[in-house]
Amino acid sequence: MNSLGKHILKNNLTRGFYITTLFVLLMFGSLSAQESKEQSVNKLEQYSDNDAQVLENEYTASLKKADTLAAILTLQKLALLYGHQARHKKSYNKLWQALLLADASKKKMLEAFIYRDIGRHYSYYKRKTKALKFLNSSLDLKKELVQNKEIKDEELANAYLAFVATYRELNDLKSAKVYLDSSAVFLKNSTQLRDKAFYSFEYGVILNSEGNYEKALKAFRDCLNWFSKNLPSYRVLINTYVGDVYKNKQEYGKSENSYLEALELSKSYNVHKDFTPLIYERLSDLYLLKGNKDKAFASLKRAKELDYLYFDSRSATNRPLLEIQDEFLEEKNRQITANKEQRLQQLEQEEQVLFLERMLLFVAVVGLILFINNIRSKHKAEKKILRKKREFEIEKNKEVLELKNKELATSVIKLIEKDAFIDQLKEKLSNGKGDINRQEAKQIINSIAVNNLDNWSEFETRFVAINKKFYTKLTKKFPELTANDQRLCALIKLNFSSKEIAKLLNMSKESVHTTRSRLRKKLKISRDVNLKNFIASI
């Protein structure tokens, strides 16, 4: 092949592929929540100018009826038709009109498909960044619909396949494979035969690039039946890639037949015209391998002519596409500007009223703050007075309590002294030999014992009355304490020594120590804890 032929093949190897996949994806991608209506997009197989005029009339009629869905679907059909005829400017314009309608009517599923198709248009002229931006917008919308449970997650496979086609056409098969794997995740349990067919086709392309020729041919055969029944025009692409496999296998006769059949299908269905330059380039390369230089030159010449027609910047058909304008964004900006102007007029009319309202609100707020601060200050002052009064009462009660306990302790001490005197008297009477006989002495002793018991009961009653909270807490915290235990706690609280307690309770000092040890166990305190301080804290 001469240098001119090599140069054309090198520069045009991927460009012809850019156009093809968009219109194919429209054929299977427009199926959504409104699938029953949108299936009609897939029925266009052969195209003519008459078809375009019919669709234009349908679009006008849909607008008159205010049938937005029908208008959008008709615009998609027109975009598909013009795209197959390589009239890309018209196709692109129809997609933007459809996007404006879909956005205004909040039809997010259709909006997702249109974003994808516009992204594919950008990829035709190697505007990769723009293309991926729109494809990602389409994918994000579909993910949002899945999250809101408006569509099934299997619909995401369709969006990922759009990335696969784009990267395939950009000869980045490594990235294409990544997105193909992503689509496979959502196709595992999918019922969408159309997505599975397109997956099989793209998988065949990947397998061929990896040298797995037999598996590639099987993948193409697996999807051929579905395409033959539902989308026969797509066999243009299938036959082209099958021809590539046979060429790699050096089965040149089968390769040539596949390429020629692809050209015949494009002609008979009047589709994929912009793909034909690549088919002729493949044929030129094939004829060189076979040694037929005349056919190679003729095919290369035809490829150059078609490439100029569909892709050259000097072509009147394609020149407008080199400066693609984002009409949708421009329209959005116009709407935003109009809304701002309308809002400014409204603000000018309301400005004085708003100023007065704000002034009144300011005065009201300031007055309310002052009123609240005044109430708060009074409340704080009252709380301070009540707190001081309460502290004074508590202090006074403590002083009264201490005074009464001192009086009580004094009376107890007198009782102890009295009991000591009585004990001496009892001893003398018990052993005495005076005028009092034993019967009279016994009566006196019993009377003294009863009097002692009454004295203790009186003391206990007075102690409980004075230290009511102490007794209540003691009983609540330690319900297992006996009356003698409680009596001992009372005497310890009054700061009596073991000797004084022994005299008062009429027991030995050692017994008092034993009783105190038992009390410690019942109170569950160790010997390190001061018993008097512990009881005083109750």
Side-chain angles (χ1 to χ4, degrees):
M1 184 182 294
N2 58 31
S3 59
L4 174 62
K6 290 181 180 179
H7 176 75
I8 293 174
L9 280 174
K10 182 177 179 181
N11 288 282
N12 295 334
L13 184 59
T14 59
R15 288 201 304 177
F17 287 98
Y18 294 164
I19 308 300
T20 308
T21 306
L22 161 67
F23 308 109
V24 173
L25 288 173
L26 260 177
M27 300 291 282
F28 74 88
S30 296
L31 297 177
S32 64
Q34 301 93 352
E35 189 168 357
S36 60
K37 287 188 177 182
E38 295 178 30
Q39 283 177 336
S40 59
V41 177
N42 300 341
K43 301 304 181 184
L44 289 175
E45 283 297 336
Q46 293 175 314
Y47 306 93
S48 68
D49 290 336
N50 290 334
D51 294 324
Q53 189 56 52
V54 170
L55 289 173
E56 292 283 6
N57 293 338
E58 287 183 9
Y59 171 64
T60 303
S62 299
L63 290 180
K64 288 181 179 179
K65 295 177 183 177
D67 190 345
T68 306
L69 177 59
I72 294 170
L73 295 177
T74 304
L75 287 169
Q76 285 183 283
K77 292 179 186 178
L78 280 165
L80 176 63
L81 186 150
Y82 289 132
H84 275 298
Q85 294 178 347
R87 298 159 72 180
H88 305 309
K89 180 179 182 298
K90 285 193 172 184
S91 175
Y92 177 79
N93 287 338
K94 296 303 177 186
L95 285 173
W96 277 114
Q97 291 177 28
L99 181 58
L100 289 169
L101 287 175
D103 180 72
S105 57
K106 307 299 181 184
K107 296 185 183 298
K108 289 192 175 182
M109 188 61 173
L110 288 174
E111 195 175 341
F113 286 130
I114 300 167
Y115 268 128
R116 177 205 59 200
D117 298 340
I118 292 174
R120 300 290 290 120
H121 262 86
Y122 277 109
S123 72
Y124 303 159
Y125 288 87
K126 297 184 180 181
R127 298 184 66 176
K128 179 180 176 181
T129 302
K130 275 279 190 180
L132 294 179
K133 175 185 175 182
F134 279 93
L135 291 179
N136 277 306
S137 295
S138 174
L139 179 61
D140 291 341
L141 270 176
K142 283 199 171 184
K143 285 181 177 179
E144 181 184 338
L145 291 169
V146 169
Q147 188 175 1
N148 295 336
K149 298 183 179 179
E150 295 181 41
I151 61 172
K152 296 180 180 179
D153 59 2
E154 64 187 36
E155 289 290 341
L156 293 178
N158 179 282
Y160 284 111
L161 286 171
F163 283 95
V164 177
T166 297
Y167 280 113
R168 167 172 56 82
E169 294 159 0
L170 292 170
N171 273 344
D172 185 357
L173 294 182
K174 184 178 179 181
S175 297
K177 188 175 181 181
V178 171
Y179 281 94
L180 190 69
D181 291 340
S182 296
S183 66
V185 174
F186 299 101
L187 287 174
K188 283 185 179 179
N189 302 316
S190 175
T191 58
Q192 302 287 3
L193 296 179
R194 68 181 188 277
D195 291 339
K196 290 182 178 180
F198 279 97
Y199 173 86
S200 184
F201 167 74
E202 298 292 351
Y203 185 48
V205 175
I206 298 294
L207 289 170
N208 180 42
S209 70
E210 295 174 343
N212 296 319
Y213 304 132
E214 295 302 327
K215 288 184 178 180
L217 289 173
K218 183 179 181 305
F220 290 135
R221 285 194 296 269
D222 289 343
C223 66
L224 186 61
N225 184 50
W226 186 90
F227 283 114
S228 297
K229 290 180 180 179
N230 300 279
L231 192 58
S233 64
Y234 199 67
R235 287 183 295 162
V236 174
L237 273 76
I238 296 175
N239 275 63
T240 301
Y241 282 98
V242 168
D244 290 346
V245 177
Y246 283 128
K247 185 172 66 174
N248 291 333
K249 292 182 67 179
Q250 298 183 357
E251 296 181 23
Y252 299 140
K254 290 182 179 180
S255 178
E256 181 181 5
N257 290 336
S258 295
Y259 291 146
L260 293 174
E261 187 177 350
L263 289 171
E264 183 60 32
L265 286 167
S266 176
K267 181 179 179 181
S268 62
Y269 284 105
N270 194 25
V271 295
H272 303 301
K273 288 184 176 182
D274 47 9
F275 190 71
T276 54
L278 272 180
I279 302 176
Y280 279 110
E281 288 175 5
R282 282 167 159 77
L283 275 171
S284 177
D285 186 38
L286 178 65
Y287 288 139
L288 278 178
L289 291 172
K290 293 175 69 175
N292 193 334
K293 294 183 180 180
D294 292 337
K295 282 190 174 182
F297 179 77
S299 297
L300 187 60
K301 182 181 178 182
R302 183 59 179 156
K304 182 180 177 182
E305 292 170 351
L306 293 173
D307 186 74
Y308 168 80
L309 178 63
Y310 299 128
F311 293 100
D312 199 280
S313 61
R314 293 165 293 176
S315 168
T317 304
N318 299 303
R319 194 177 302 116
L321 279 177
L322 296 179
E323 296 179 359
I324 297 175
Q325 299 297 321
D326 291 349
E327 297 177 11
F328 174 71
L329 297 177
E330 289 182 358
E331 180 64 24
K332 278 281 188 182
N333 288 332
R334 284 195 292 271
Q335 291 176 3
I336 292 170
T337 302
N339 290 337
K340 284 182 178 179
E341 290 177 355
Q342 184 179 357
R343 180 60 180 159
L344 283 172
Q345 292 176 359
Q346 186 179 355
L347 286 173
E348 287 175 359
Q349 294 173 0
E350 296 175 356
E351 186 175 358
Q352 292 182 351
V353 176
L354 287 173
F355 177 76
L356 290 173
E357 288 179 351
R358 287 169 183 163
M359 286 299 296
L360 289 172
L361 180 62
F362 175 75
V363 171
V365 169
V366 170
L368 183 61
I369 291 172
L370 293 173
F371 177 72
I372 291 172
N373 286 337
N374 187 36
I375 292 176
R376 188 176 294 168
S377 298
K378 288 182 178 180
H379 183 63
K380 284 183 179 179
E382 290 175 357
K383 282 179 70 177
K384 189 175 181 180
I385 292 170
L386 288 173
R387 186 170 57 253
K388 287 184 176 180
K389 186 177 180 181
R390 194 178 299 113
E391 290 173 355
F392 176 76
E393 289 178 353
I394 291 171
E395 189 66 27
K396 185 178 178 181
N397 289 336
K398 283 183 178 179
E399 291 176 358
V400 171
L401 182 63
E402 288 177 2
L403 181 61
K404 289 185 177 181
N405 279 331
K406 285 179 181 179
E407 291 176 354
L408 187 60
T410 302
S411 66
V412 171
I413 291 171
K414 289 180 178 179
L415 280 173
I416 292 171
E417 292 173 350
K418 178 183 175 183
D419 287 344
F421 171 76
I422 291 172
D423 285 342
Q424 292 177 0
L425 181 60
K426 283 170 61 179
E427 187 177 354
K428 288 179 180 180
L429 290 173
S430 298
N431 300 323
K433 298 180 180 180
D435 297 330
I436 301 173
N437 58 39
R438 292 184 64 84
Q439 183 64 31
E440 289 176 332
K442 190 174 182 181
Q443 288 177 354
I444 292 170
I445 291 170
N446 289 336
S447 175
I448 291 170
V450 170
N451 190 43
N452 285 345
L453 185 61
D454 290 341
N455 287 338
W456 174 254
S457 297
E458 181 183 351
F459 160 76
E460 192 170 27
T461 302
R462 288 178 65 189
F463 179 83
V464 171
I466 295 171
N467 300 278
K468 188 174 183 180
K469 288 184 179 180
F470 168 79
Y471 247 69
T472 302
K473 288 182 180 179
L474 184 68
T475 306
K476 187 175 181 180
K477 287 184 72 173
F478 307 101
E480 69 278 5
L481 295 180
T482 63
N484 288 333
D485 293 332
Q486 291 177 354
R487 195 172 297 153
L488 179 60
C489 287
L491 294 173
I492 292 172
K493 181 174 176 61
L494 291 175
N495 205 21
F496 282 104
S497 65
S498 297
K499 182 179 179 181
E500 291 170 336
I501 293 171
K503 287 182 179 180
L504 184 61
L505 297 180
N506 197 22
M507 61 173 64
S508 67
K509 190 175 179 181
E510 288 74 17
S511 297
V512 172
H513 288 308
T514 303
T515 305
R516 286 172 69 105
S517 297
R518 289 173 183 169
L519 181 61
R520 278 180 175 276
K521 291 181 181 179
K522 290 183 179 181
L523 296 178
K524 298 178 180 179
I525 58 174
S526 64
R527 297 192 63 82
D528 298 335
V529 179
N530 187 286
L531 182 61
K532 176 183 175 298
N533 292 339
F534 178 80
I535 292 174
S537 66
I538 297 176

